[in-house]
Amino acid sequence: MNSQETPLLQVRDLAIGFGSGEPLIRDINFDVSRGETLALVGESGSGKTQTCRAILRILPKAARIHSGSVLLNSETGDIDLIAMSERKLRDIRGNLISMIFQEPMHSLSPLHRVGAQVSEVLCLHRGHSKRSAKEIVLQAFERVGFPEPEQVYRSYPFELSGGMRQRAMIAMAMVAKPDLLIADEPTTALDVTTQAQVLGLIRDLQQETGMAVILVTHDLGVVANCADKVVVMRNGRIMESGPVATVLDNPVHGYTQKLIAAAPSIPHEAEPTCTRVVRDPILQLENISKSFDLRGGSFLSKSTIIKAVRGVNITVERGGTFAIVGESGSGKSTVAQIALGARTSDAGGIIRFWPKAGEPPIEVQTLSPPEKRNFQRQAQMVFQDPFSSLSPRMQVIDILTEPLEIHQIGTRLERKDRAIELLEQVGLDPSMLRRYPHAFSGGQRQRLSIARALALNPSLLVCDEPTSALDLSVQMQVLELLEEIRDNLGLSYLFISHDLAVVSRIADEVAVMRRGQIVEQAAPDVLFTAPKHPYTKALIAACLEPSMDQKVDLEAVAIGAGNPDTWPESFRFTGMQAPDLVESEPGHFVRVQL
Amino acid sequence: MTNLTDDHYVDSAPYDANAETSAPAHPDLDAPNWLLIWRKFRRHKLGLISAVFLAISYLMMPFAGFIAPYTPNERNADHLYAAPQMVHFFHEGKFIGPFVYPETATADLEQFRWVYTSDYDHPAKLEFFCKGGTHYFLGFIKTDRHLFCAPEGATVFLWGADRLGRDVFSRIFYGGQLSLTVGLIGITVSFVLGISIGGIAGYFGGWIDWVVNRIIEVLRSIPELPLWLALSAAVPSHWGPVAVFFIISIILGLLDWPGLARAVRSKFLSLREEEFVRAAEMMGAKPSRIIRKHLLPNFASHLIASAMLSIPAMILGETALSFLGLGLRAPAVSWGVMLNDAQNLASIEIYPWTAIPMLPVIFVVLAFNFLGDGLRDSLDPYSHD
């Protein structure tokens, strides 16, 4: 790198506060040179998003920039974006600096065609006519990987998937050929395979145009794969910054070390497999299918039937963890709900539950209401979103004793003792009994959620993405807690996740789902070291790890993550027809044509 | 600050890796809901002033007879359309306590109006805790004591007198008793209907929801005023004022529930999707428990705000009906009934004080709107603006 050259963007002593108080974000200093990618890393609340919003001065109303400067090196010399008038700044936004937001759903206007929204930038900043703008936009669409740019140009945002929308957003950010692209968690809302592809696209575009990129992310895996420099933030301050290789390979600050240690990763070498001999199932799903009736508004309109789950068979071992992995829409959550009897399976599906080893199973689908309540005592669920799964109007003690109250167990005092015991079990302080959920952080709330699920002493827990809404370091703690509880209390888990790395840690057996069907199923060490199915390979390849020598293999991702009818011939789905699930080796099932 | 190499910067402040395991992350949010709402509401000055004003207004209602110097239908045949009188303290430069100058009426036959001349030589000192017309203190203690009244031979019409020589000031207090309660009774009827119908539609969904929605749409498409008129006209004319009053409030409530039912239904629908409701279902809670323990507490505050915003519509409705002569009728006194007397444009021009009852209507309606607004802003204490 040429150190004589002036950096494109210099942020100096930036301090941002909310309301009249002391600045919450302070002493922010970093440089971005042309053609360089800087990653701003931190957990939620670290101030990384506000920092990059301050560069464009699009902070929320309550926020105020206390001091500092943001110098942008343009043709006419350095300009200070903080001191600049709002009117002049408008010329810079979208022209010299573009931004991509986290949520592709909300950043495109639903009322306008995608093409019109993208060409607006050109008409506004470059004075293009509609026709010439369209040509450029079509080229950009082709560049970001749309097979039929013309069709995308005419479509509305709701017609595109999340990944497609994020591509459209990237095209929008790119058409004006900005000097600097700010990407605020551009891939957090996307599936892992899509994430890898979108990041690859940003990297390619950057090499092509020589622009600088500021990438805001909480994922060190993304940093390792994309960035040149990294800034680690915590509580509004920079903890450590420097070249990626230096920071990731030799982290000095304790916080950086902790972040790197917490990042989940997939084992690369097979560990000796402990062979399970005794088959002692606790839950068995046989031939589970679920079709949904999509109705357009009222009961007068016609319905279309969607098959969300097709012919799933799984067996959860007592004391073990069975994991289902898949992208959004793969049907994994539906399977979890069916397993708990919250939804019914289509005709032909059987769910068996063995309350105790050696006893005859009960059939969940055919239970009478009182029997079902009895079943619910033994099988509980942990939810994904810790912010919506606890009622904001209830104190911790009410939340924890509610299951006992519903099932009329114990006196008030006994219930309170149980609540204290539960809090201790999940590593929270018993003094928190009278507090409200909003006083807690995401990780603490997820612990509360787990405590509530444990209140009835269940033998089976269904965990529906229990860690995906949490910061990475907290994710690790919650996973450790789940493992500890499983081993101490002899629980069995049905674990749903989209993240192979999370699953690799906790599961005894993993099933990969796509389009409502299991495409591959095996013990994790077998699955991760010797995957057979292209989709599993894509999932593994798309996992980003915080080390410099594990780069994403985009080709493998592209093969497996595509439509199931573009898979290699022996794996291909044709319409509704899919190959059968066959046992290629003992305990290793693949959906393949032999 | 430590700079290890050229570019590598490491913060030197002490760092505790295990700092945040068990302490609450947002202790400021750790308070019961009502306290959080109050903290936020306190900052909404206009809402706070309105709340105080309304509290005083409602608290004064039972004492109306005591505060008012006259009873509502007490006539002073010698003081028809008497102008508002000032309360003075200094007579010829000397402090002698609150007093009024007595007035006598003469008919101006040229302009055909009453002209009042004050007798500035004989100040009439106001009496306190004096005897006047009988009224019911707190509604059940029969008494003839008043806070203040004029001495023999003088009158105290603070806001003038109307066509029959009745004191406007006293009648506004009595009128408030009815006008302010109309809103409360109406809102109760509207709430019971709105919550139960909206709740049923929202919780069970399906065809029930469809039917309820269509009924609401039909009700909403009927022009309101003619419907009120038709319903009120159907009230038998021989009914007593109290019966008419109740039936009017119920009519107002019956026409107000669709809006509320819609709000309840949509709130129910969105809350049902929350994971804590699903969690309760999975624990085996029955629908009644879920509605009671999880749904209602989460939108009770929302309901209070929408009630605050609906009461003014009721008060205005009563005023409008009575103004048109179709609501309450004399001898009942409400602000609308008083305004009914002020229908004649000519008399408002000559005796503008007969329109004074508009002021309390305006102030109360504004206050309810501000209060509702303030409550709505502060109801979700967890949202940040």
Side-chain angles (χ1 to χ4, degrees), chain A residues 57 80-93:
Chain A
R57 296 234 313 265
D80 186 356
L81 299 180
I82 302 292
M84 192 176 233
S85 79
E86 186 69 21
R87 254 182 72 189
K88 282 193 185 151
L89 197 62
R90 269 203 291 268
D91 272 344
I92 293 194
R93 289 185 198 141

Side-chain angles (χ1 to χ4, degrees), chain B residues 33 37 187 191 195 260 299-311 368 371-373 375-376 379:
Chain B
N33 194 36
I37 291 181
I187 208 71
F191 251 56
I195 293 179
L260 193 74
F299 75 86
S301 38
H302 174 89
L303 283 181
I304 294 169
S306 62
M308 288 301 148
L309 293 172
S310 309
I311 291 178
F368 269 117
L371 175 63
D373 224 32
L375 281 177
R376 196 174 46 193
L379 279 180

Side-chain angles (χ1 to χ4, degrees), chain A residues 360-379:
Chain A
I362 52 175
E363 281 202 28
V364 176
Q365 303 260 51
T366 57
L367 294 179
S368 67
E371 281 168 344
K372 190 158 181 192
R373 279 160 60 90
N374 202 25
F375 164 68
Q376 278 162 337
R377 279 184 64 167
Q378 301 167 55

Side-chain angles (χ1 to χ4, degrees), chain A residues 239-240 402 407 432 435 444, chain B residues 8 11 22-23 30 283 294:
Chain A
M239 294 289 114
E240 185 163 357
E402 189 182 22
H407 290 274
M432 293 177 166
R435 293 181 182 275
Q444 289 169 333
Chain B
H8 195 176
D11 187 63
S22 212
D30 185 26
M283 283 175 227
H294 293 274

Side-chain angles (χ1 to χ4, degrees), chain A residues 398-413:
Chain A
D398 296 326
I399 291 171
L400 294 183
T401 54
E402 189 182 22
L404 303 171
E405 229 172 272
I406 291 172
H407 290 274
Q408 292 165 352
I409 300 169
T411 61
R412 274 188 57 137
L413 268 178

Side-chain angles (χ1 to χ4, degrees), chain A residues 309-386:
Chain A
V309 178
R310 286 185 282 167
V312 166
N313 299 297
I314 57 175
T315 306
V316 183
E317 294 280 324
R318 192 176 300 279
T321 299
F322 190 99
I324 303 179
V325 183
E327 62 188 10
S328 51
S330 62
K332 57 190 193 303
S333 289
T334 312
V335 172
Q337 286 161 2
I338 291 174
L340 281 183
R343 288 183 194 277
T344 51
S345 161
D346 289 351
I350 300 170
I351 306 164
R352 295 191 194 89
F353 177 75
W354 287 263
K356 289 212 175 69
E359 281 183 17
I362 52 175
E363 281 202 28
V364 176
Q365 303 260 51
T366 57
L367 294 179
S368 67
E371 281 168 344
K372 190 158 181 192
R373 279 160 60 90
N374 202 25
F375 164 68
Q376 278 162 337
R377 279 184 64 167
Q378 301 167 55
Q380 279 291 315
M381 184 145 177
V382 177
F383 292 86
Q384 171 176 4
D385 182 2

